[in-house]
Structure formats: structure tokens, C-alpha cells
Amino acid sequence: MPINVQPDLPAKKVMEEENIFMMDHTRAGSQDIRPLNIAILNLMPLKEDTEVQLLRCLSNTPLQVEVTFLNTGSYIGTNTSKNHLDQFYLTYEDIKNNFYDGLIITGAPVENKDWEDVIYWDEITQIMEWSKTNVTSTLHICWGAQAGIYYHYGIDKYELDSKISGIYTHRVHNRKVPLLRGFDDVFLAPHSRYTEIRKKDVENNPDLTILADSDEVGLFLVMAKNGKQIFMFGHPEYDRLTLDLEYKRDLGKGLEPKVPVNYYKDDNPDNKPLLTWRAHSNAIYTNWLNYYVYQETPYKWT
């Protein structure tokens, strides 16, 4: 799929080096089709890494996609340069009158805070409320999924005894749901989190459907309103080395993290991790774009 971004976005060069078709605004403007407009609210601290990960996931369909990156206006992190944010990011105030075919809300390193203690919580809730009327389908990831299912359905998170980190096996439910088209009975996906949404709380809500879960780490994929809201509690967008970097970062902080499960060969952090989840990750994003965005969104918003 041609991904349409600003021509000088650093992630564009990374993607082109991976032989992924990227497009700039000039070429996109010469094509007589309407691109899908996807907004990405990037709450991750290393925003440039997340940009590459998500653009890679969105690159496996023939549809043209125009991406707008969003940052919170109420909090500016220090792990990404101000120049990068000023050049490539907008805030809710910039786009609140716009309509988008799809919205992605990423995870964020604030799991151990109460909702109202998150500096940008009021802004996040504004965006989630806005998404009900101005977005065809919203895909929430990890903390974004926990925040979304709490805001929309009142289902709270619970702290875990220790951090979940690793590659876990999940089983598919409701196979006929298009989001799972092409999936095997079981699949692997990364998780990295300190909190959880409990399965029984979701099962008790008739508006929510569990699409995939794990015996080891619980929920992975939950859907509401026929795909208007999708909650993904893992990180299938992660690169091969993302968990490795997190593990070594936590080691350096003296946090004594556990070795990520089912990740390094022989559970030895000196070994290169195997990439075992990319195919199903691609399938999730491709199915989301096709069946819940492209097939559902109006050609012209009114």
C-alpha cells in the first residue's frame, strides 16, 4: 500500500530502505482517488520508533493511506525532539473539526497511574468522545485499549504482581469476524504491561465481543459496535528488538526485570530474538483498514 506522509519524515527513509512503497503529497495529489485519512495519536515516548512500527503495519494493502500524527497539547514529552514534534505532529485543537476514516491510539508508559492522575487524561477523553462522531473506526493499543474500554464502557484495569513481557500464544474466537480473516487457530503476539483488563468484566458487557485471548496473559483483542471501537491489549506492532530494548533499559534502571517470555533463543538475552508475530500483526492491520475503515467509511464526510 502506498503510505502518504510528509516527504522529510525520518520514518519515510527507514521504510523505503525496507522496500516499502512510500508516497509524498505531490504524487498522492496526482492520483484520482480518495485516500483513507488515518490519524495516529502517538503517546509512546520514543515516537520515531513507533512511527516506523505503525507505518510498517499499515503498508500491506493496495489502498492509499494519508497519515496524520497527533501529540497531546497538554503534555510534551522529552524523549522526542521539539523540532520533530513541531514539524510532523498536530494536536487535538488542530484537528477537532476534521473527520477521519480511522484513528489509532497507542500505548503509553503511564499504566501505574490512576486515570485522573495522567497529565493528559482530560485531553484523551476529549479525543475519545470526539472519535464517536468524527472517526469511522478507532483502534486502541495496550494502555490506549485499557483507557478506551474504561472511558467507553466503565471497565477498570487492575495492577499485576509483576510485569508481563514476552511473546505469548493466543487463541482465536469468533472466527467469522472479518478482523480475524486469515488467522490460524492460534497465533503469537508481544505483550508489555503492568496492568490488565479482566476477562470476566468484558464477558459481562453485552456490547463487547472477545475475539482473541491467551491462557497465560488474558485478553488480546476485543471489539465493540461492529468495529467502531477495537481494543488490542498487546503490542503486535513491536519490532524484533523492541522488547529487548525495554528489558535492557529496565536492567539499566536497576528494576531487575524478568527475561521476556518465549523471546530469546534458550531464554538467553545474548541471543538474537526470533521474529515470530509479524504475519498475524500484518493481518490485523490489513483487515482493520479494509473491513472496518475502507468498507465502512463514507466517500465524502458531511
Side-chain angles (χ1 to χ4, degrees):
M1 167 184 64
I3 299 283
N4 178 9
V5 296
Q6 295 183 50
D8 46 355
L9 180 73
K12 182 174 185 287
K13 181 177 180 182
V14 175
M15 303 290 283
E16 289 173 337
E17 290 173 352
E18 296 182 11
N19 201 31
I20 292 173
F21 183 22
M22 301 293 290
M23 182 181 294
D24 61 31
H25 296 317
T26 302
R27 180 169 181 180
S30 69
Q31 296 190 327
D32 191 22
I33 58 174
R34 183 177 91 70
L36 295 176
N37 291 302
I38 305 295
I40 299 177
L41 177 59
N42 187 356
L43 304 173
M44 295 291 278
L46 301 178
K47 297 192 187 305
E48 293 185 58
D49 290 350
T50 303
E51 292 162 14
V52 171
Q53 292 168 11
L54 289 174
L55 290 177
R56 185 184 290 120
C57 291
L58 295 172
S59 67
N60 292 284
T61 165
L63 304 169
Q64 184 189 133
V65 174
E66 183 165 323
V67 175
T68 299
F69 287 106
L70 304 177
N71 187 35
T72 52
S74 50
Y75 172 76
I76 306 298
T78 58
N79 292 286
T80 301
S81 74
K82 185 177 184 301
N83 287 340
H84 185 86
L85 295 176
D86 288 345
Q87 186 171 0
F88 299 114
Y89 280 73
L90 300 176
T91 67
Y92 172 67
E93 287 300 315
D94 297 317
I95 58 89
K96 64 183 180 182
N97 295 320
N98 297 348
F99 294 89
Y100 288 88
D101 305 306
L103 169 67
I104 296 174
I105 300 177
T106 73
V110 292
E111 287 180 69
N112 293 324
K113 294 179 180 290
D114 291 337
W115 302 114
E116 291 74 14
D117 290 339
V118 175
I119 294 174
Y120 45 78
W121 179 248
D122 287 346
E123 186 175 2
I124 293 294
T125 59
Q126 273 189 309
I127 292 170
M128 290 190 290
E129 185 64 26
W130 165 85
S131 73
K132 293 179 181 180
T133 54
N134 288 51
V135 177
T136 299
S137 178
T138 301
L139 178 62
H140 310 70
I141 303 173
C142 200
W143 181 84
Q146 294 183 351
I149 209 166
Y150 173 70
Y151 177 75
H152 291 296
Y153 298 97
I155 297 175
D156 211 344
K157 63 182 178 177
Y158 293 86
E159 287 195 22
L160 297 164
D161 293 334
S162 60
K163 182 181 181 181
I164 289 174
S165 176
I167 312 302
Y168 296 92
T169 299
H170 305 79
R171 60 179 175 272
V172 167
H173 305 289
N174 296 287
R175 176 172 296 283
K176 293 183 179 180
V177 172
L179 190 62
L180 297 174
R181 190 158 291 170
F183 270 62
D184 300 315
D185 289 339
V186 296
F187 64 96
L188 297 173
H191 285 258
S192 177
R193 50 187 170 83
Y194 291 92
T195 55
E196 68 174 351
I197 298 295
R198 291 180 177 169
K199 183 177 179 180
K200 64 179 178 61
D201 293 338
V202 174
E203 290 175 327
N204 288 336
N205 191 311
D207 294 328
L208 299 171
T209 302
I210 297 173
L211 301 182
D213 64 4
S214 165
D215 289 336
E216 298 171 280
V217 294
L219 295 170
F220 177 73
L221 197 58
V222 173
M223 188 174 73
K225 299 185 182 300
N226 295 319
K228 176 76 173 176
Q229 298 156 348
I230 296 169
F231 307 100
M232 189 159 58
F233 299 98
H235 276 291
E237 80 283 359
Y238 268 12
D239 289 337
R240 180 196 302 269
L241 295 177
T242 307
L243 288 177
D244 176 71
L245 293 171
E246 290 183 356
Y247 171 69
K248 291 173 179 174
R249 174 203 64 199
D250 290 349
L251 273 179
K253 291 181 177 179
L255 299 178
E256 300 183 355
K258 295 179 181 177
V259 173
V261 172
N262 194 30
Y263 182 56
Y264 300 108
K265 183 180 178 182
D266 300 323
D267 290 328
N268 182 349
D270 292 330
N271 291 329
K272 182 179 180 180
L274 289 175
L275 184 59
T276 57
W277 61 92
R278 177 66 56 79
H280 286 92
S281 173
N282 288 341
I284 289 173
Y285 284 91
T286 299
N287 288 343
W288 175 64
L289 279 175
N290 185 19
Y291 299 114
Y292 299 92
V293 180
Y294 176 66
Q295 301 293 343
E296 299 295 331
T297 199
Y299 183 82
K300 184 177 291 186
W301 286 91
T302 57

